[in-house]
Amino acid sequence: MEGYDLIGDVHGCGATLAALLERLGYHQRGGVYRHPRRKVIFLGDLIDRGPRIRLAVSIARRMVEEGEALIVMGNHEINALAYHHRAPAALGREWLREHTPRHNRIVRETLEQYRDHPQEWDETLAWFLDIPLFLECDGLRVVHACWDQARIDELRRSHPEGRIDLDFLAAAVCHGTREFEILDRLTRGSHITLPEGVQIHSGDGFTRRSFRTHFWARRPRTWGDVVFQPDNLPGELERRPLSAAESACLTHYGPEQPPLFIGHYWCEGIPALPAPNIACLDYSAVKFGRLVAYRWSGETRLDANRFVWVRVPREERARPAPWEIDVD
């Protein structure tokens, strides 16, 4: 095998995923996309928001089950599992992820597209639960949002293969638990809370009271040194010094560590490397950005020329995909 093709957050852009696989040299045989010398690694967040969620899930699942791909869990798969499983009575609520207007909105497209396929949705949820939170193989590392070695080591002690179960998920919905800290860091990354009364109104229509941070700055001093999201910080907050408590909560992934691939962060523009050994592959596909892959062939220093992408057309929602496979 020559190497892996790592693919960022698909978010239901199933037709574009098929186009990207074709561009990478994968072709359908027996209903599964295959390459004679390479395999895919999906970085999670297959579902929500996009126009062909079932197609995206079906392509990825069939490839994984046939040994043509690997995958890690994204926060949207975690959200779906928690949304659809009832909470223990001790939690005092009906669902692990409460059915609030915000949560309903995030999962709405997924539920709509699976509405007439309830058995397929149940099988999809069962498959989600079998997806690991991280991968470390053949000289590379993969996680959806943040490689936190201490939390990964802690998870390995109880779940050696990185796969969680419903008991872990139930504990993870409670802030402050060990399970919450592991799941939140690996699938959502680290965050810093904005000052009282300050909010960010994101382009996706959500209001946020914290911002996403990265984990490769060697000695960050200000909020601007670690912010990693498309939305700018309000006012002069990029110059605000990191407090001791904020610095203590940040993870650092050093340049001497193995190549790491992440998604999650809604990057924009032409794909670029934030660090010589780190590639983020989420380029806002479902916002009509790019669905991005990185063709890794064993190199320890990553190369921006190895990015491959397909732009997501605005008309995808309306047009049929000629290569669309049967997902029933």
Side-chain angles (χ1 to χ4, degrees), residues 65-83:
E65 291 177 343
E66 289 291 319
E68 302 295 333
L70 301 170
I71 187 171
V72 296
M73 182 97 74
N75 59 301
H76 281 257
E77 284 79 37
I78 291 290
N79 290 348
L81 285 166
Y83 189 94

Side-chain angles (χ1 to χ4, degrees), residues 11 31 35 48 69-70 87 91 120 144 157 159 179 216 242 312 314 322:
H11 277 306
H35 192 286
D48 294 342
L70 301 170
L91 288 183
E120 183 185 337
H144 182 65
R157 286 194 283 271
H159 298 75
E179 292 84 356
W216 46 85
L242 286 161
V312 182
R314 291 186 176 272

Side-chain angles (χ1 to χ4, degrees), residues 49 102 194 198-200 202 204 206-210 231:
R49 298 191 171 110
R102 179 189 179 94
L194 293 165
V198 177
Q199 300 176 343
I200 295 175
S202 299
D204 58 5
F206 288 98
T207 298
R208 294 181 169 86
R209 296 175 177 82
S210 64
D231 299 305

Side-chain angles (χ1 to χ4, degrees), residues 53-299:
I53 295 166
R54 290 176 58 230
L55 176 60
V57 171
S58 179
I59 289 173
R61 182 179 172 187
R62 290 183 181 187
M63 292 183 72
V64 171
E65 291 177 343
E66 289 291 319
E68 302 295 333
L70 301 170
I71 187 171
V72 296
M73 182 97 74
N75 59 301
H76 281 257
E77 284 79 37
I78 291 290
N79 290 348
L81 285 166
Y83 189 94
H84 284 85
H85 282 92
R86 294 186 180 276
L91 288 183
R93 61 196 196 207
E94 186 174 0
W95 304 96
L96 291 178
R97 182 172 171 86
E98 295 179 288
H99 292 190
T100 64
R102 179 189 179 94
H103 296 167
N104 294 343
R105 177 183 169 187
I106 290 171
V107 78
R108 180 177 59 207
E109 286 286 349
T110 299
L111 296 183
E112 177 66 23
Q113 292 176 44
Y114 278 98
R115 181 183 59 191
D116 298 329
H117 309 274
Q119 181 177 345
E120 183 185 337
W121 180 231
D122 288 343
E123 293 171 354
T124 297
L125 289 169
W127 178 61
F128 287 169
L129 203 57
D130 196 45
I131 296 175
L133 293 178
F134 65 90
L135 291 171
E136 187 170 19
C137 59
D138 298 330
L140 82 165
R141 291 171 171 172
V142 185
V143 72
H144 182 65
C146 176
W147 189 276
D148 185 315
Q149 191 65 57
R151 288 180 169 89
I152 286 173
D153 290 343
E154 188 174 5
L155 175 63
R156 275 180 168 147
R157 286 194 283 271
S158 57
H159 298 75
E161 296 185 348
R163 294 179 174 88
I164 65 172
D165 51 30
L166 288 178
D167 289 339
F168 188 104
L169 185 63
V173 302
C174 301
H175 284 248
T177 64
R178 145 188 188 275
E179 292 84 356
F180 174 86
E181 297 296 336
I182 292 171
L183 204 60
D184 190 62
R185 182 58 59 92
L186 270 55
T187 66
R188 297 184 180 90
S190 53
H191 313 259
I192 290 179
T193 302
L194 293 165
E196 185 69 30
V198 177
Q199 300 176 343
I200 295 175
H201 301 284
S202 299
D204 58 5
F206 288 98
T207 298
R208 294 181 169 86
R209 296 175 177 82
S210 64
F211 66 91
R212 293 175 175 179
T213 63
H214 66 72
F215 50 90
W216 46 85
R218 186 179 294 275
R219 282 183 287 271
R221 296 182 178 180
T222 67
W223 283 14
D225 290 338
V226 295
V227 62
F228 192 54
Q229 60 181 30
D231 299 305
N232 294 324
L233 295 181
E236 300 294 316
L237 288 181
E238 287 201 2
R239 300 180 182 178
R240 180 170 174 141
L242 286 161
S243 69
E246 290 164 350
S247 295
C249 289
L250 297 175
T251 301
H252 180 246
Y253 195 87
E256 75 287 352
Q257 301 207 59
L260 172 65
F261 296 88
I262 57 174
H264 186 62
Y265 291 95
W266 296 104
C267 297
E268 296 177 340
I270 300 297
L273 296 169
N277 61 334
I278 298 175
C280 180
L281 302 181
D282 180 7
Y283 274 79
S284 307
V286 78
K287 297 182 185 178
F288 310 109
R290 294 168 172 85
L291 184 59
V292 175
Y294 183 97
R295 309 212 80 174
W296 185 78
S297 298
E299 65 273 14

